[in-house]
Amino acid sequence: MARVVRRTPGSPLLLAGLLAAAGLAHFAVPRPFDAIVPRALPGSPRVWTRASGVVELTLAAGLAVPRTRKLSARATALFFVGVFPANVQMAYDWRDRPAPARGLALGRLPLQVPLYLWARAADRSASAK
């Protein structure tokens, strides 16, 4: 008998899909990501963009596998905390841009909260099994 996998809005598999799409975007269209790498980081922004993409793809794979989901969910929550400075940098750098661009940059800041909470919920659901 086939096992039915339920995908609810809080599903770790949906979060894995989001992370996989973001990770692939870091390689397909890296320039927007390069632009938000904090200038204080050493080296080329492209290296940081690619590294971030690899991390997102790795986290996505870990969330997709039940055996590694708990650890990956915790790592994903930490990742969302860790990339917050890039979003702050973007908001600062874009402060003089037209209103739609400023709105996009500022809108990224509170978005980290539900992403973090989603990763924590994935951790709790993995712990309950």
Side-chain angles (χ1 to χ4, degrees):
M1 178 158 60
R3 182 172 173 244
V4 175
V5 178
R6 290 182 45 218
R7 289 177 182 87
T8 61
S11 169
L13 295 178
L14 287 175
L15 181 57
L18 176 76
L19 284 165
L24 290 172
H26 280 70
F27 291 95
V29 279
R31 290 182 74 202
F33 298 101
D34 293 347
I36 64 170
V37 171
R39 292 182 304 274
L41 292 175
S44 163
R46 183 61 51 93
V47 170
W48 290 101
T49 294
R50 288 181 178 148
S52 179
V54 167
V55 169
E56 287 175 328
L57 290 169
T58 303
L59 292 170
L63 286 168
V65 177
R67 197 171 108 207
T68 58
R69 186 167 294 148
K70 182 176 180 55
L71 177 62
S72 295
R74 288 181 178 183
T76 299
L78 291 174
F79 176 76
F80 289 137
V81 170
V83 298
F84 187 73
N87 293 335
V88 171
Q89 182 71 51
M90 180 182 182
Y92 179 79
D93 288 346
W94 290 21
R95 68 191 180 281
D96 296 325
R97 290 200 180 181
R102 280 195 320 267
L104 174 69
L106 291 171
R108 291 175 62 100
L109 298 174
L111 181 61
Q112 295 301 122
V113 174
L115 290 172
Y116 171 82
L117 294 173
W118 193 358
R120 295 295 295 144
D123 174 21
R124 285 190 299 280
S125 71
S127 297
K129 295 180 180 178

